[in-house]
Amino acid sequence: MNEVIEKKDFIRDIIDEDIKNGKHKKIKTRFPPEPNGYLHIGHAKSICLNFGISQEYQNATCNLRFDDTNPEKEEMEYIDSIKEDVKWLGFDWGENLFHASCYFDKLHKFAVYLIEQGKAYVDNLSFEEIREYRGTLTKAGKNSPYRDRSIEENLNLFEEMRNGNVEEGKCVLRAKIDMKSPNLNMRDPVIYRVKKSDHPKTGDKWCIYPMYDFTHGYSDAIEGITHSLCTLEFEDHRPLYDWFLDQLPAEWFPSRPRQIEFSRLELTYTIMSKRMLIQLVKENHVSGWNDPRMVTISGFRRRGYTPKSIREFMKGVGISKSKGYVEFSNLEYYIRQELNATSPRVMAVIDPLKVVITNYPEDKVEEFDVEINPEDKSSGTRKVPFCREIYIEKSDFMEEPSKKFFRLRPDGEVRLKNAYFIKCEEIIKDNKGNIIELRCSYDPLSKGGNSPDGRKVKGTLHWVSVKHGKKIEVREYDRLFKTEFPGKETGNFLDDINSESLTIKKHCIIEPAFFDYNKNTRYQFMRNGYYYPDPFDSTKEKPVFNQIVKLKDTWQNVKK
Ligand code: ATP
Ligand code: MG
């Protein structure tokens, strides 16, 4: 039998086992972002895993849940962008959209229950004192003097906090666990604090808010999540989530989630923490969250990456517990591979140099039929007009070429792709000595770019007819950071910003065929790379293209 055995990961293996043993009939996962920034490519790993599982297993679902416990840092803009990004990546939460803030009533009830069981207390230590009392990895913590308050007093004080009668920072509610635990998370974590801020969802209903850890684990259980998948840094939080659940009657929850940790996606030449991404935006190092150089989902979208290429990349990366960096060029490989198969080819000259073909009739126009995509025979052909004046790439001509330069040189001959052989006869310069035009002759017998007599030319150039070409702006991108691990040497990632990461070319020329496609088309500019019309700045009158990725991985060579 020719059965394809799909390679699974250890998480899917566990789920398979749980289904086989009858532990679960319906698998329920969730993607739980804090709405305090835009999603980045690391989040896409978690999205592809959680939503991927919900697509693969029968009756499985995946919740999109906003863990919105910090009203000061959260905004509707972030919530909207997260939804848009998850959808764009190709996933659908259906009815399963939740906010942890919907559980604030329940969570408050849980907190009161913990107090009633003698498992939580109101502490009047300041935040600094709490930190001090907490100890370190090598030093045990010590008990707060307020730890042994009576249940009654705690209930009253917590009620006071809730009613707005306590100032911010004056007291908090803490779980009573173990100040000597080797796990710092278990040293009486704060579970509620006073915060007199309105919340995007609950408005001014609350002036106390549950902490992230308290909210997160309980929210999974409230939602009946079967497998709570998260990144490795939550491994140390698992005992705390378990402790929280152990204190409440099991029948209060539809399930007891099983937390499984996997390693985060880390990419070279970038940073992925929201805190740093916010800094890049707020300090104007980039044009915004969706700057095409950002590793945000919205940045990749704007740049022209496809959702499929990101999903395929994630499949390639896989899920495991081993930590490590993935090469950025690995991601580029996937988009290149996809676009090579799907994108229409056009000729576009980024830095134009005019060429006049002196022996070509002045008013003559020829149209060559050229394949749209040689990788996809069904794509058909396009018409490429040719006439006496054309543009070629400045860098395709050298007045004093090195031996290995096979493109156009004085008295040299090259092929114009799909058109003719031309020979450089004369160089025209301005009064500063800059080359502004070339005079060439063409060989009428070399039509279609074919050699008439077996003579060979080494270089093949792309070109655009002066009369028919259309002016466009092209934005070329390099890595946003110069070093593989930004900030590693200097301690400040901003020191490693690549000041040449954006090059704007305002006077590029493209062949007219590109008008035949819709504005969502990703093109291959022949010999150059893949390009996408900027969704915000590009108009029919003034097209603006973002470089998605170069044709070849030149980065390794440039690096030195
Ligand atoms: P960051 O640490 O980058 O600021 P975060 O972890 O605070 O992000 P959340 O909104 O809490 O961001 O993340 C939502 C989910 O995405 C979490 O389950 C988290 O584990 C996961 N996630 C975040 N970053 C990565 C990453 N680099 N790789 C895989 N999953 C990630
Ligand atoms: Mg987080």
Side-chain angles (χ1 to χ4, degrees):
M1 227 169 48
N2 239 349
E3 205 176 302
V4 182
I5 300 174
E6 211 183 311
K7 206 176 126 255
K8 289 203 174 179
D9 50 68
F10 78 101
I11 293 183
R12 288 169 167 96
D13 288 345
I14 292 174
I15 295 177
D16 287 346
E17 223 21 59
D18 285 349
I19 291 175
K20 208 169 101 199
N21 298 339
K23 188 170 172 200
H24 299 294
K25 288 209 170 53
K26 283 185 187 176
I27 300 302
K28 235 179 180 190
T29 54
R30 86 289 177 260
F31 173 63
E34 288 175 79
N36 55 4
Y38 280 57
L39 296 181
H40 53 62
I41 187 88
H43 292 115
K45 179 175 181 178
S46 177
I47 294 170
C48 289
L49 174 65
N50 282 294
F51 281 98
I53 285 172
S54 76
Q55 292 177 340
E56 290 156 31
Y57 291 88
Q58 234 184 351
N59 297 324
T61 49
C62 179
N63 294 354
L64 173 61
R65 184 183 70 240
F66 292 102
D67 274 342
D68 50 353
T69 54
N70 194 348
E72 279 160 4
K73 294 201 170 145
E74 292 159 9
E75 288 169 27
M76 272 320 276
E77 180 194 345
Y78 297 143
I79 294 186
D80 293 340
S81 77
I82 290 170
K83 286 191 204 161
E84 188 183 359
D85 289 350
V86 173
K87 271 197 202 141
W88 180 77
L89 278 171
F91 300 107
D92 182 7
W93 53 86
E95 318 246 280
N96 303 305
L97 176 66
F98 301 99
H99 294 258
S101 55
C102 299
Y103 314 135
F104 281 174
D105 283 320
K106 279 195 175 150
L107 292 166
H108 179 256
K109 192 177 107 186
F110 297 168
V112 170
Y113 185 86
L114 289 185
I115 298 174
E116 286 167 353
Q117 303 301 307
K119 300 289 187 182
Y121 61 98
V122 172
D123 196 353
N124 288 72
L125 291 183
S126 66
F127 277 111
E128 291 73 43
E129 288 166 325
I130 289 178
R131 200 176 310 128
E132 216 181 289
Y133 275 57
R134 200 158 87 120
T136 62
L137 279 174
T138 50
K139 198 173 118 211
K142 59 180 183 185
N143 288 351
S144 161
Y146 303 99
R147 198 174 196 260
D148 293 320
R149 279 179 159 146
S150 72
I151 289 173
E152 183 136 42
E153 192 184 357
N154 280 319
L155 284 172
N156 286 337
L157 285 169
F158 189 48
E159 186 64 15
E160 289 290 295
M161 282 169 65
R162 195 233 148 115
N163 290 338
N165 299 332
V166 177
E167 271 173 58
E168 281 186 26
K170 283 283 175 247
C171 52
V172 294
L173 184 70
R174 298 178 72 176
K176 194 190 268 192
I177 311 179
D178 178 6
M179 288 306 289
K180 299 198 168 49
S181 169
N183 183 342
L184 291 174
N185 294 308
M186 302 298 274
R187 295 186 187 169
D188 291 12
V190 173
I191 57 181
Y192 259 95
R193 79 276 203 213
V194 176
K195 233 181 223 301
K196 300 199 169 162
S197 316
D198 283 3
H199 186 282
K201 276 277 158 194
T202 57
D204 62 2
K205 177 170 176 190
W206 297 93
C207 57
I208 52 171
Y209 290 96
M211 298 298 284
Y212 177 85
D213 271 342
F214 185 74
T215 311
H216 180 78
Y218 279 139
S219 298
D220 279 350
I222 291 171
E223 290 178 3
I225 301 303
T226 56
H227 299 82
S228 173
L229 312 177
C230 59
T231 36
L232 286 174
E233 67 274 20
F234 288 100
E235 202 164 10
D236 287 348
H237 298 240
R238 179 160 24 100
L240 177 60
Y241 300 159
D242 283 338
W243 185 91
F244 283 139
L245 286 173
D246 287 341
Q247 309 313 310
L248 303 189
E251 57 280 12
W252 285 10
F253 303 101
S255 80
R256 170 114 184 180
R258 168 161 179 191
Q259 176 170 316
I260 310 170
E261 303 89 12
F262 62 95
S263 56
R264 325 167 50 87
L265 176 72
E266 304 278 9
L267 277 182
T268 54
Y269 294 100
T270 189
I271 47 104
M272 242 189 272
S273 121
K274 267 188 266 178
R275 182 180 58 77
M276 294 178 187
L277 291 171
I278 286 180
Q279 205 177 339
L280 288 175
V281 174
K282 295 250 153 97
E283 294 176 11
N284 298 315
H285 299 289
V286 293
S287 65
W289 283 99
N290 65 0
D291 186 304
R293 292 165 296 174
M294 291 279 271
V295 290
T296 50
I297 311 283
S298 49
F300 282 113
R301 175 166 63 239
R302 179 166 185 185
R303 180 140 173 194
Y305 272 72
T306 61
K308 184 169 162 226
S309 66
I310 294 178
R311 292 196 305 263
E312 293 295 316
F313 166 70
M314 293 306 167
K315 267 191 211 160
V317 169
I319 298 289
S320 77
K321 275 192 184 287
S322 51
K323 290 186 185 175
Y325 278 78
V326 176
E327 291 286 339
F328 199 98
S329 50
N330 192 340
L331 172 58
E332 293 177 331
Y333 164 84
Y334 284 91
I335 184 68
R336 229 181 245 128
Q337 173 148 305
E338 182 182 338
L339 296 182
N340 180 45
T342 59
S343 67
R345 273 55 170 168
V346 290
M347 292 196 284
V349 176
I350 309 288
D351 278 312
L353 172 62
K354 193 165 156 188
V355 171
V356 178
I357 301 166
T358 48
N359 59 338
Y360 195 88
E362 211 148 310
D363 294 324
K364 185 173 171 181
V365 175
E366 281 180 272
E367 277 189 329
F368 298 110
D369 283 311
V370 179
E371 276 177 312
I372 290 175
N373 180 357
E375 300 289 320
D376 172 10
K377 296 293 172 206
S378 69
S379 64
T381 60
R382 68 189 197 272
K383 298 233 178 277
V384 183
F386 182 83
C387 58
R388 184 181 154 95
E389 295 189 348
I390 58 163
Y391 291 115
I392 64 168
E393 211 70 70
K394 255 187 200 141
S395 58
D396 279 338
F397 176 77
M398 269 182 108
E399 191 174 6
E400 289 165 25
S402 63
K403 256 201 176 147
K404 290 216 167 132
F405 187 82
F406 297 125
R407 292 163 274 161
L408 197 57
R409 58 170 71 199
D411 291 326
E413 194 173 37
V414 292
R415 171 191 294 108
L416 293 177
K417 178 93 182 153
N418 300 306
Y420 288 107
F421 285 11
I422 57 165
K423 189 173 168 200
C424 175
E425 311 281 1
E426 193 185 346
I427 303 170
I428 313 284
K429 295 182 177 175
D430 65 11
N431 54 15
K432 288 193 196 105
N434 300 311
I435 301 172
I436 51 169
E437 190 181 307
L438 299 177
R439 299 274 160 92
C440 294
S441 60
Y442 86 115
D443 179 351
L445 298 178
S446 62
K447 191 165 176 175
N450 301 309
S451 178
D453 52 10
R455 78 177 187 273
K456 290 205 163 68
V457 292
K458 278 211 164 135
T460 299
L461 311 188
H462 63 278
W463 52 274
V464 176
S465 152
V466 169
K467 205 188 286 175
H468 304 90
K470 166 96 186 160
K471 212 157 123 181
I472 58 171
E473 177 180 317
V474 167
R475 298 174 183 170
E476 302 205 300
Y477 302 105
D478 204 340
R479 306 270 198 271
L480 187 53
F481 295 97
K482 302 180 286 217
T483 55
E484 252 179 310
F485 310 107
K488 192 179 174 198
E489 296 293 320
T490 65
N492 182 357
F493 73 103
L494 296 175
D495 292 340
D496 289 336
I497 287 190
N498 174 9
S499 58
E500 287 158 23
S501 59
L502 168 64
T503 312
I504 299 180
K505 307 266 184 174
K506 285 197 179 288
H507 306 287
C508 314
I509 309 289
I510 193 169
E511 62 168 285
F514 89 98
F515 275 123
D516 297 344
Y517 311 104
N518 71 40
K519 73 179 176 58
N520 250 327
T521 306
R522 296 161 175 87
Y523 299 87
Q524 185 192 101
F525 290 3
M526 294 171 75
R527 297 179 64 225
N528 237 317
Y530 295 98
Y531 292 80
Y532 182 60
D534 188 276
F536 302 97
D537 299 345
S538 190
T539 60
K540 209 168 165 100
E541 294 66 44
K542 196 179 156 289
V544 177
F545 283 87
N546 291 320
Q547 181 189 60
I548 307 169
V549 66
K550 291 195 174 69
L551 259 197
K552 295 200 187 89
D553 184 5
T554 50
W555 181 252
Q556 300 295 337
N557 309 332
V558 176
K559 206 162 64 174
K560 278 185 211 112

